[in-house]
Amino acid sequence: MADADRDAAADSIAVAAEAVSDELRRAGQTVSGTGKEILETTAQMATDPALVGPAQAKVRDEGLAPARAVWEAASDVAATFASIGGYLAGRVRDVEDVRDRIIAELTGAGMPGVPLRAEPFVLLADDLAPADTALLDPEHVRAILTRGGGPTSHTAILARSLGIPAVVALGRAAQVLRDGVDVLVDGTSGVVVVDPDAAGRASVRPRRAARPFDGVGRTSDGHRVELLANVGDAATARDAAAAGAEGVGLFRTEFAFANAEVEPSLEAQVAAYLPVFASFAGRKVVIRTLDAGADKPLPFLTGESEANPALGVRGLRTSWEHPDVLDRQLAAIAAAAGRAEADVWVMAPMVATVEETDAFVAACARHGLERAGVMVEIPAAALLAGPILARASFASLGTNDLVQYTMAADRMLGDVARLTTAWQPAVLRLVEATCLGGAQQARPVGVCGEAAADPALACVLLGLGASSLSMGSRALGDVAAALARTSLDECRRLARIATDAESAEAARALVLAEVDWADELG
């Protein structure tokens, strides 16, 4: 192949990658919330120089065809992610999805994705790319089954936000499933019944719309519980406000940075925060500083690949080498808070020590941010909750990572999915320890991880001492309904049952056996 031909072939890769990225961004404009965030992140991956550059080099230096070059370059990236492990290993499917899309664009083949069928169906896959999951139509895709993934994978989280029952990490059990067979899927219990009998079919409940929420969380005896929403941008904030959320328990600011090659200016950051604050004028908005690193690398902030990024420089730890980035973000938050009427609280992710807490609280104070808190995601922080909350104004439990670090189980790895549930008694005891530390200091402790969206687990968390629960807005109604039918003393009794259990399965089963709403909400 002549040099000119090789240059043209290499250039075609960049053109195809840009086309794929543009298509994903356009798709992102048709959805909101987590789906929009995922599509935008995948769009960025399509044009990542770490993928496109090596593919072009394989064309110019080795004379490979563009499609083959993309395949090999993507395979190298995927192998690197898999060897690093942790959350990056969970992004291998994203790399493969982008690879297939670019190759389809280069060859004129059909774009990969979920197949179209005339009738509603249950979707079975090894795993789903987040970009595919985000665009699923709940009226057509009645349930999702995957061989891989985990309960806190993108597939599982997006399915919950869409109201689609999902059972992930089926592994070898999926071998009995085949096209055309009827299956009964219980996304709550994780049970899949192949070719159900008449009794099983009669037990099926039609999928319903999200249960309405009146905007006031309370137990049956009137104990107030703040029911808040997790949001990532202005669109999800508007959705949460419309759903009746009492405020925001987790504003993930990293999604405002997701497509940035350089640090966004202070003005750009203010513009990203203001609409979220505006949606909750007069109400609490807990904004988390950048949770960069591991699965969310940022070119201007995170460094080279680490042997185990989940245990590396992520969250607040990025400020050790880049204190100026944190300082500018706090300045932007303070500026936006000054122009809005929301009650803005600020918290740092991945706090492990009292010293880190002191430093973060002092940094917030320099910008006039009085409500400075921490996320409790690391067992060390849970065990030191008393002294940490002697400094911080509040704590919020990030149960997804707390489970991962407590159980030494990658939350994206299907092989250990049975371990990655917040029903684990060891995890619940750390939640209790954190809440006790908060009570000692008269500081509120909330929950903003996926655990708060489980109605039965929400009652247990309240019984352990949580003062607020934050979740995807679709879960608000169900959690509110469960709390409204359970007294505070009953929540405390359920919490004792769960923490005294010897396994996650036993904890869940024992709690559900004690409530009269399990079949409806559990």
Side-chain angles (χ1 to χ4, degrees):
M1 187 185 297
D3 288 346
D5 292 336
R6 291 190 180 192
D7 286 340
D11 290 344
S12 71
I13 294 175
V15 172
E18 194 64 45
V20 167
S21 180
D22 288 346
E23 179 59 31
L24 288 167
R25 292 182 197 281
R26 283 193 294 271
Q29 299 304 312
T30 68
V31 296
S32 62
T34 307
K36 178 182 178 69
E37 296 156 7
I38 295 297
L39 287 166
E40 289 180 346
T41 301
T42 308
Q44 182 185 21
M45 182 180 288
T47 54
D48 192 329
L51 172 62
V52 175
Q56 290 179 310
K58 288 178 180 293
V59 173
R60 292 191 174 103
D61 300 341
E62 302 175 32
L64 295 184
R68 181 66 188 180
V70 170
W71 182 276
E72 292 192 2
S75 296
D76 291 342
V77 173
T80 299
F81 281 11
S83 66
I84 290 172
Y87 199 92
L88 273 184
R91 300 304 299 272
V92 169
R93 182 67 187 90
D94 301 20
V95 175
E96 293 171 344
D97 177 51
V98 166
R99 172 201 67 196
D100 294 346
R101 290 173 184 273
I102 295 175
I103 290 174
E105 182 70 25
L106 285 166
T107 61
M111 196 60 66
V114 176
L116 298 177
R117 297 180 70 103
E119 71 283 358
F121 61 96
V122 172
L123 179 62
L124 171 66
D126 288 333
D127 199 359
L128 284 172
D132 287 332
T133 312
L135 294 173
L136 294 179
D137 179 2
E139 294 302 317
H140 214 62
V141 180
R142 296 299 174 85
I144 298 171
L145 304 174
T146 67
R147 297 180 180 88
T152 56
S153 66
H154 279 141
T155 299
I157 292 171
L158 279 170
R160 280 192 288 273
S161 71
L162 292 168
I164 301 175
V167 178
V168 299
L170 286 170
R172 294 179 181 176
Q175 292 176 356
V176 301
L177 300 172
R178 61 188 185 279
D179 192 32
V181 71
D182 288 342
V183 291
L184 179 62
V185 179
D186 187 333
T188 302
S189 66
V191 171
V192 180
V193 179
V194 180
D195 197 15
D197 59 19
R201 293 170 187 271
S203 71
V204 174
R205 293 173 296 177
R207 187 178 65 247
R208 54 174 175 76
R211 188 184 299 271
F213 172 46
D214 66 6
V216 180
R218 57 176 96 69
T219 59
S220 63
D221 53 341
H223 179 75
R224 282 283 287 116
V225 188
E226 282 187 309
L227 296 185
L228 312 169
N230 298 337
V231 307
D233 58 13
T236 46
R238 288 191 296 271
D239 291 346
E246 298 185 58
V248 172
L250 172 60
F251 176 11
R252 302 179 177 97
T253 58
E254 58 272 12
F255 291 120
F257 293 71
N259 296 315
E261 292 294 326
V262 297
E263 180 189 355
S265 67
L266 188 145
E267 293 76 15
Q269 292 186 53
V270 171
Y273 307 150
L274 266 175
V276 175
F277 295 167
S279 290
F280 288 91
R283 289 177 282 176
K284 179 168 76 175
V285 175
V286 181
I287 183 170
R288 180 176 70 186
T289 57
L290 274 176
D291 190 18
D295 61 309
K296 292 166 280 193
L298 291 173
F300 61 87
L301 187 58
T302 51
E304 299 297 321
S305 297
E306 299 168 325
N308 192 335
L311 301 179
V313 180
R314 58 172 294 201
L316 184 62
R317 297 172 183 179
T318 60
S319 67
W320 297 347
E321 293 295 326
H322 301 280
D324 52 323
V325 175
L326 175 62
D327 189 67
R328 280 188 289 273
Q329 183 174 29
L330 294 175
I333 292 170
R339 293 167 54 184
E341 297 178 6
D343 179 17
V344 177
W345 298 24
V346 188
M347 66 180 177
M350 290 295 290
V351 171
T353 68
V354 174
E355 291 81 2
E356 289 173 339
T357 307
D358 270 329
F360 181 71
V361 170
C364 290
R366 289 194 293 271
H367 291 281
L369 296 167
E370 298 179 358
R371 288 283 198 172
V374 300
M375 286 198 74
V376 175
E377 304 162 278
I378 301 172
L383 296 172
L384 287 174
I388 283 177
L389 284 167
R391 279 83 170 171
S393 297
F394 67 97
S396 186
L397 286 146
T399 53
N400 296 349
D401 272 326
L402 184 61
V403 170
Q404 174 173 241
Y405 295 132
T406 302
M407 303 307 296
D410 185 341
R411 64 193 184 102
M412 299 300 295
L413 184 61
D415 291 344
V416 294
R418 69 186 66 182
L419 297 174
T420 54
T421 168
W423 281 103
Q424 292 286 357
V427 174
L428 295 177
R429 293 182 186 189
L430 288 173
V431 171
E432 184 176 34
T434 306
C435 292
L436 286 173
Q440 290 170 5
Q441 306 296 341
R443 303 295 199 195
V445 175
V447 178
C448 65
E450 285 297 304
D454 179 335
L457 195 46
C459 292
V460 169
L461 295 169
L462 177 62
L464 292 173
S467 57
S468 65
L469 302 169
S470 190
M471 63 206 74
S473 57
R474 187 181 176 85
L476 288 165
D478 282 349
V479 171
L483 293 172
R485 293 169 62 172
T486 313
S487 69
L488 179 59
D489 283 345
E490 181 68 1
C491 287
R492 289 170 175 159
R493 189 177 74 85
L494 296 175
R496 193 78 280 130
I497 289 172
T499 53
D500 287 345
E502 296 184 354
S503 69
E505 295 78 9
R508 183 176 184 277
L510 289 168
V511 167
L512 289 176
E514 294 293 319
V515 298
D516 61 8
W517 42 259
D519 289 341
E520 180 185 353
L521 299 167

